[in-house]
């Protein structure tokens, strides 16, 4: 009799796991998804004919298997130029920060000298033990550059001071970036030296389009997907295998088996950051026809953290090509003052901030919509310092495999989530209960977006 796998979540990890199990054919996957759509946080939302990429997703990976998997699902992906910049002092700077004439002109000679001196002081002569994210950044950038380009934005994302965030977040997301590598990139940009990616693949109707095609393939191959199905009670013995991408906190609380109190306490102490996007349809921008995918807003007089221009991801995301379709991105905690604002009030806030930072006039806004996403970012504080204990206990359940961003409580990119699913499937097919390979994903030191 064919074995059965319960796959919790129809995001990149869950759908990848389902398809890989179906290719082998010896395990029947049942995917359960609490929402009515696929893709998880890699979804595409639609409003009045315009499509929104929630959070923004570049289809790029250093892993050839992932790149080929994507192209097999969607052979019509567009090749898009990569451009992200930082808005600071109402000026645009390269992201990641580059050592070029624009940076020097924008910051001024005096500030550049202070950046250089603080870099030497912090990174060469006074390297700190990395007890928190602030230490991690100071050791790589120095105090002046950290205060200029990193501190305010990072604290917008997480809602707490950098010295209260674990250094592990830097290891996950910033990795090998440093002033030394920035200088190397500036000097050897046109050589064979490692440099940041300048192009990426992108589904013409957004990431949700690709993941819907993947879901269709799961059904075609005999798998099951059950929407609007929330896991509130979970008996681990009912299925041969369980692959979970649901938040670890919710997984532990759903378990019907005996769970030690210390494990419950760690799970319930895990923290998540929630995400709000305000989609706006504009007549025009005040900053001209800019080509950015993202703009990181490092201004401390507004709450907005990031801005997307959807036209620059794909012209197919915009119903009227003569209009500008953007996303104002905010970070919140479910239940806080920002999260609890009505859609009308939130839209008004975003429109005011859009004008305040000089991107567009209020009168240019033709329409707007507010979309909220719970548990978008697993946080590296709360009880995260005890996560190893929780992970060891969960890994000890032979038929349970943690996959994906929330499933592993790790700030994975889309390809990392897919690779965690692949490793889980490999373990199932080989009969192994060792989960070590899953946790080795996204542990490399190199910056993800390099080639």
């Amino acid at each position: 009799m064919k074995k059965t796998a319960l796959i919790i979540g129809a995001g990149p990890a869950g759908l990848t796991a389902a398809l890989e199990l179906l290719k082998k054919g010896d395990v029947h996957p049942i995917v359960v998804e609490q929402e009515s759509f696929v893709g998880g946080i890699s979804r595409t939302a639609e409003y009045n004919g315009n499509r929104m990429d929630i959070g923004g997703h570049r289809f790029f990976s250093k892993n050839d298997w992932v790149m080929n998997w994507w192209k097999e699902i969607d052979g019509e992906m567009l090749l898009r130029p990569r451009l992200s910049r930082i808005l600071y002092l109402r000026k645009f700077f390269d992201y990641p920060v580059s050592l070029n004439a624009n940076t020097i002109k924008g910051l001024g000679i005096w500030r550049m000298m202070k950046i250089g001196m603080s870099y030497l002081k912090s990174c060469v002569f006074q390297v700190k033990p990395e007890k928190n994210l602030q230490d991690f950044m100071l050791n790589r950038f120095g105090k002046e550059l950290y205060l200029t380009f990193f501190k305010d934005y990072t604290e917008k994302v997480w809602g707490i001071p950098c010295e209260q965030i674990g250094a592990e977040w830097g290891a996950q997301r910033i990795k090998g970036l440093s002033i030394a590598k920035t200088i190397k990139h500036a000097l050897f940009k046109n050589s064979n030296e490692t440099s940041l990616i300048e192009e990426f693949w992108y589904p013409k109707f957004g990431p949700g389009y690709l993941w819907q095609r993947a879901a269709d393939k799961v059904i075609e191959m005999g798998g099951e997907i059950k929407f609007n199905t929330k896991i509130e009670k979970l008996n681990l013995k009912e299925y041969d295998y369980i692959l979970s991408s649901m938040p670890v906190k919710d997984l532990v609380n759903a378990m019907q088996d005996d769970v030690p109190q210390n494990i419950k306490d760690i799970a319930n102490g895990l923290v998540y950051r929630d995400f709000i996007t305000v989609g706006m349809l504009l007549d025009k921008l005040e900053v001209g026809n800019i080509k950015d995918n993202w703009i990181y807003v490092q201004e401390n007089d507004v709450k907005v953290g990031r801005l997307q221009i959807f036209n620059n991801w794909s012209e197919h995301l915009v119903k009227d090509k003569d209009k500008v379709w953007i996303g104002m991105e905010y970070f919140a905690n479910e239940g806080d003052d920002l999260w609890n604002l009505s859609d009308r009030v939130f839209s008004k806030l975003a429109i005011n901030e859009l004008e305040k930072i000089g991107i567009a006039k209020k009168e240019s806004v033709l329409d707007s919509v507010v979309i909220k996403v719970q548990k978008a970012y697993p946080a590296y504080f709360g009880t995260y310092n005890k996560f190893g204990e929780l992970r060891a206990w969960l890994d000890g359940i032979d038929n349970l495999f943690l996959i994906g961003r929330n499933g592993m409580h790790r700030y994975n990119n889309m390809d990392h989530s897919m690779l965690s699913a692949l490793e889980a499937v490999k373990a199932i097919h080989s009969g192994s209960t060792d989960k070590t390979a899953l946790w080795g994903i996204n542990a490399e030191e190199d910056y993800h977006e390099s080639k």
Side-chain angles (χ1 to χ4, degrees):
M1 184 176 177
K2 185 179 287 190
K3 293 184 176 181
T4 301
L6 174 69
I7 300 174
I8 306 173
L15 292 174
T16 299
L19 276 176
E20 293 307 305
L21 287 172
L22 287 165
K23 288 176 184 177
K24 187 76 172 181
D26 55 346
V27 178
H28 177 68
I30 302 172
V31 182
V32 293
E33 170 56 55
Q34 70 173 1
E35 304 291 351
S36 59
F37 51 81
V38 299
I41 61 171
S42 301
R43 62 181 284 204
T44 302
E46 188 169 344
Y47 176 73
N48 288 346
N50 296 300
R51 295 178 172 88
M52 301 170 63
D53 181 347
I54 306 299
H57 294 85
R58 299 187 184 107
F59 283 72
F60 165 80
S61 178
K62 295 179 183 179
N63 186 285
D64 290 339
W65 179 86
V66 172
M67 294 294 286
N68 292 331
W69 197 98
W70 281 331
K71 291 176 184 178
E72 182 182 327
I73 296 295
D74 182 3
E76 302 176 318
M77 284 199 290
L78 309 172
L79 186 61
R80 308 303 298 167
R82 174 197 181 279
L83 177 60
S84 298
R85 290 184 293 173
I86 300 168
L87 183 67
Y88 176 64
L89 302 174
R90 306 307 196 252
K91 301 173 185 175
F92 289 109
F93 297 88
D94 289 348
Y95 176 84
V97 180
S98 298
L99 184 63
N100 56 26
N102 180 65
T103 302
I104 295 170
K105 180 181 178 182
L107 294 177
I109 296 297
W110 173 241
R111 192 187 293 268
M112 289 296 296
M113 289 176 62
K114 288 175 67 179
I115 286 172
M117 293 301 293
S118 71
Y119 169 73
L120 290 174
K121 181 180 178 181
S122 297
C123 310
V124 179
F125 299 114
Q126 293 182 1
V127 175
K128 294 174 173 285
E130 293 180 356
K131 298 178 181 178
N132 53 55
L133 182 59
Q134 180 169 279
D135 295 336
F136 180 94
M137 290 186 173
L138 289 175
N139 283 346
R140 284 155 183 78
F141 305 106
K143 183 177 180 180
E144 192 67 28
L145 191 61
Y146 161 67
L147 293 175
T148 301
F149 284 128
F150 294 96
K151 185 177 187 293
D152 287 341
Y153 176 76
T154 304
E155 293 181 356
K156 280 183 187 179
V157 173
W158 296 110
I160 63 172
C162 288
E163 54 264 40
Q164 295 179 25
I165 302 172
E168 293 90 344
W169 184 83
Q172 287 295 119
R173 300 303 293 184
I174 299 173
K175 299 193 185 274
L177 282 183
S178 64
I179 284 187
K181 290 197 174 182
T182 299
I183 294 171
K184 184 178 180 182
H185 178 58
L187 293 176
F188 299 105
K189 186 174 182 180
N190 296 319
S191 73
N192 291 324
E193 294 289 329
T194 298
S195 60
L196 302 178
I197 65 162
E198 295 173 355
E199 294 179 319
F200 59 91
W201 293 100
Y202 192 76
K204 63 182 181 180
F205 296 119
Y209 177 70
L210 180 142
W211 293 114
Q212 184 59 59
R213 294 183 70 157
D216 292 343
K217 194 167 183 179
V218 168
I219 301 301
E220 289 169 13
M221 294 176 69
E224 298 179 53
I225 301 179
K226 299 180 179 181
F227 292 101
N228 302 308
T229 304
K230 186 175 182 179
I231 299 293
E232 295 181 340
K233 293 182 179 180
L234 180 62
N235 185 338
L236 298 171
K237 299 180 180 67
E238 287 186 4
Y239 299 90
D240 296 293
Y241 309 103
I242 298 171
L243 291 80
S244 174
S245 67
M246 72 189 292
V248 178
K249 176 187 290 187
D250 297 340
L251 171 67
V252 170
N253 286 324
M255 286 182 175
Q256 297 298 288
D257 305 67
D258 290 334
V259 180
Q261 189 59 46
N262 66 310
I263 297 301
K264 290 181 180 179
D265 291 343
I266 297 170
N268 286 316
L270 293 175
V271 179
Y272 302 82
R273 192 71 163 150
D274 305 297
F275 182 74
I276 305 168
T277 295
V278 183
M280 292 188 202
L281 189 66
L282 309 174
D283 263 335
K284 64 176 182 176
L285 297 171
E286 292 300 308
V287 287
N289 186 26
I290 56 177
K291 300 298 183 183
D292 302 71
N293 312 118
W294 271 313
I295 296 171
Y296 295 86
V297 183
Q298 180 67 11
E299 310 286 21
N300 59 18
D301 59 342
V302 290
K303 295 182 182 298
V304 63
R306 205 168 57 181
L307 190 152
Q308 283 194 76
I309 298 105
F310 296 117
N311 306 61
N312 296 338
W313 291 86
S314 168
E315 60 274 18
H316 300 282
L317 298 180
V318 189
K319 181 179 179 181
D320 184 345
K321 305 301 186 291
D322 294 327
K323 300 295 186 290
V324 183
W325 178 230
I326 68 169
M328 297 276 281
E329 300 181 347
Y330 293 82
F331 309 95
N333 290 329
E334 185 180 357
D336 68 13
D337 290 343
L338 200 60
W339 183 269
N340 286 336
L341 290 177
S342 68
D343 288 358
R344 181 185 63 81
V345 174
F346 208 116
S347 289
K348 185 176 180 180
L349 166 71
I351 291 168
N352 287 336
E353 292 199 340
L354 187 69
E355 180 169 274
K356 188 173 184 179
I357 60 177
I359 299 297
K361 298 286 189 184
K362 294 178 186 177
E363 54 266 28
S364 292
V365 180
L366 305 174
D367 199 0
S368 65
V369 63
V370 177
I371 295 179
K372 298 180 179 180
V373 180
Q374 297 170 310
K375 294 184 172 66
Y377 303 106
Y380 287 69
F381 44 92
T383 54
Y384 183 78
N385 62 331
K386 298 180 180 179
F387 185 76
E389 187 179 343
L390 173 58
R391 168 191 155 184
W393 187 82
L394 290 169
D395 281 352
I397 302 171
D398 288 349
N399 68 333
L400 175 66
F401 298 84
L402 305 182
I403 59 174
R405 177 182 284 193
N406 275 333
M408 303 174 77
H409 201 86
R410 176 177 279 189
Y411 201 148
N412 286 329
N413 287 310
M414 192 162 45
D415 61 333
H416 299 132
S417 294
M418 295 170 65
L419 288 168
S420 69
L422 176 64
E423 290 299 334
V425 171
K426 286 180 180 179
I428 289 171
H429 286 154
S430 67
S432 173
T433 59
D434 184 1
K435 319 295 172 57
T436 305
L438 277 77
W439 296 99
I441 295 164
N442 194 17
E444 73 277 5
E445 286 300 316
D446 291 335
Y447 180 52
H448 174 71
E449 290 195 10
S450 64
K451 61 179 178 179

